Structure formats: structure tokens, C-alpha cells
Amino acid sequence: MKEFPRNFLWGAATSAHQVEGNNIYNDWWLAEEAGAIKEASGRACSHYELYSEDFAIAGQLHHNCHRFSIEWSRVEPQEGNFDPLEIEHYRKVIADLKSRGIQPVVTLHHFTNPAWFSRRGGWVNSGLQKYFLRFTDKIVREFGAEVKFWITINEPLVYSSHAYLLGAWPPKKRSLFETARVTFNLAQAHIKAYRLIHKIYKENSLDKPMVSIAANLQAFELCRPTLKNRLSVYLRHKLYNLYFIDELFRRKTLDYIGINYYGRNLVDVESWGIRHLLLDTCKYNHHPLRKNSLGWDIYPEGLYKLLLAVKKYNLPVLITENGICTEDDDLRWDYIREHLLQIHRAIQDGIGVMGYIYWSLIDNFEWDKGFTPRFGLVHVDYGSQKRSVRPSAEKLAQVSASGII
Ligand code: BGC
């Protein structure tokens, strides 16, 4: 029997474009319409209409926090025109959560951009950061009094690499130079947004907020102990896992560390060259582990190792995402339980983990992979939009209710 700290945050996450439906003003919608993405998000989970029903389920599951994103392109569909009705929508979303005793954890950027922003060059263009800051200013002035936890940018490196290096997400580029530029601009945008959020709270005499990013961390492990592989693991850990956190820590713009963790990345580099060193993985089934339905390796111990790796910052940690897509709900529960045990182990070792947010509350639109992967604690029938709570969700609910696993 393991006990989690009192006041531990228990919850699940979503992001606007993946669940709301009809986000017609963003770059993803345009790419979907143009046939550049295999499946279109369409009405997704109709969460825009059904949020209260979904939060009622989260409440029944004893969640005391919920992570979601505010869709910039809804709030500002044309440059400079903020839509008051959409601001009211998110005010109701936050009020609904709070009425159920669920603390909102709000993300400002979760992969999507307003179409007008992308047309002008998006994150490659450093001159456009000011628009993200204006949106941040607007949202934080509106909701600061109701929200303590903010995530400025979700997985900056996943975004920059998928959109600018791998050519998988809009605008589907394959340029190392642009990837570096976007990554740099996202770091700058976070630093400025962090300062802005704190300034607004101070001006309004609000208690200090907790502001961070959600960093995707991967357990990079050696397939074979060759020199290339060793160098690659070292580089990927330094650049992919720690570059952003290091930089933001150095600039004193992290109140906690938000970690999204899914599993292992088994490194096996084919030949010398920067792309190989940064991207190659083992193509064979060496060192096999259990996998999710997308073929990602399940490796709970990796989370423990990564928590140890961020201990040096001496900051609180929030697990802002951890989850599995699978058709096997027993495996989902094993995944959750084993990761919780590793988190508990890290807490025993003195790492200040504040909470666990499962990805995702409901099945949803998994970007370029479409609707097939099912990450939800709650099953969604996309035809009828009916929700059904999975047994793994009930098991997690027992842990969140008691704080004991
Ligand atoms: C993202 C989510 C995504 C999840 C599963 C994270 O990278 O923040 O948007 O659905 O992982 O792939």
C-alpha cells in the first residue's frame, strides 16, 4: 500500500482541437479541409457543447483538477478581433469545473494556431510572438482570478519537430533550420508570457500563479552500446528532454515543471549525420516491451529516471500528461498503476510531484493519426457522442478518492 501526499492533484487532460469539434479558424482545420491530414477532426467529441456532461463524469471519478486548452483561433478568429461570446464560453467552462471542486489547469497553446497567424509565417516569424502575448494578456486578465495553474505552451519540441522537421503536421515543413528557429521563438514566447502572467497577477493583487510549459520527456535508451548510440542518447536527452527546461530555468521563468511522459525511445543510429543522431530508433524488436496501439514502448521506470533527472532544479513537478492508447482496458490500468508506483517512488526520493494528470479524459482526435487511437478514461462513440466510463477510470477513481494505491 502506497500513500500519496495530501492535496495531491488528480485529473485528466484534453486539448481544444482534439475534443471540441468545429474549430474552423485554425491551421489544422485548413490542412484537414485541404486533405493534407488523413482524417478530419470534424465535430470531434462535441465537447464544446458537452463539456458540462464530461466534467460531471470527471467529478464522479474524483478528479480534483482538469487540464484543458483555450483555443486561440476561437477567441481571436481574425487578427485583433476578440470574440466576446467565445470568452464567455470559456468563462462557463471554468465556472463549471470550479462548481464541481475541480481546479482548472489551463493551456494557452496546444499545437493549433489561428489561420491568420500561420498565413503570416507562424512561429518561424519572430515578429509574430507579440500576437501570442496579446492573446495571453487578454485571457489572463479575463480569467486570472479563477485560475492558478497555467501552461503557456504544450510540448514545444513535439510541435516544432512534427510541424517543421518531420513534415507531419501543418505547415508540413522539413527544415532543421526552421525547426531551430521555431523552437527558439517558442522559448522566447514562453519567457515573455511567463513575465506577463506574473505582472497581471501582481497588478490585480492576486495570489501568485503557477506557470510552466508541458514538456514531453522521453526515456532514451541504448539499443546497442555503440559510440553512435551513446552519443545520440546523450544528445537527445540534453537537447530534447532538457534544453527547454534548462533555458527557462536559467531565465527564472518556471514555477513548476510540467511533464508529459509516454514511454521509451530505443535508440539505434544507422549512420553518422545529424538527422540520424536525432531521429533514428531501433527498427527491430530488440529488447521488447509491452506496447500501446500505436506501437510505443511502455516503460514506467523511465518516468522515475526522468523525475530523478529533473530533481536538480528543485522545483515542484506536475505530471501534465501520461497515458496509453489501447483497446485493452486491463493494459490501460496496468499502465496507470505502474506509472503511479514510479511517481510514488520518486516522491519518496524527495521529488516534489504535485499531481498526476492522465491523458486523456475522453477518447479524441489524435492529430495525424485520426480517431483510431483510444487514450480516454472514457470511451466515446463518435456516431452518437455517447460516453461510457471504462473500468480503468473507476480504478483510478479509487486511488484519487483515497490517495492510496
Ligand atoms: C499531446 C497530445 C496527444 C498525446 C498523445 C501529447 O504529445 O500533448 O495532444 O494527444 O500526446 O499522443
Side-chain angles (χ1 to χ4, degrees), residues 171-185:
K172 293 200 151 195
K173 299 286 189 63
R174 287 174 186 274
S175 152
L176 203 53
F177 173 71
E178 288 192 336
T179 308
R181 230 183 129 123
V182 167
T183 307
F184 177 78
N185 284 338

Side-chain angles (χ1 to χ4, degrees), residues 8 19 38 119 128 257 367 387:
F8 200 73
V19 294
K38 82 168 182 193
R119 260 184 234 116
L128 301 191
I257 302 176
W367 307 112
R387 278 46 173 164

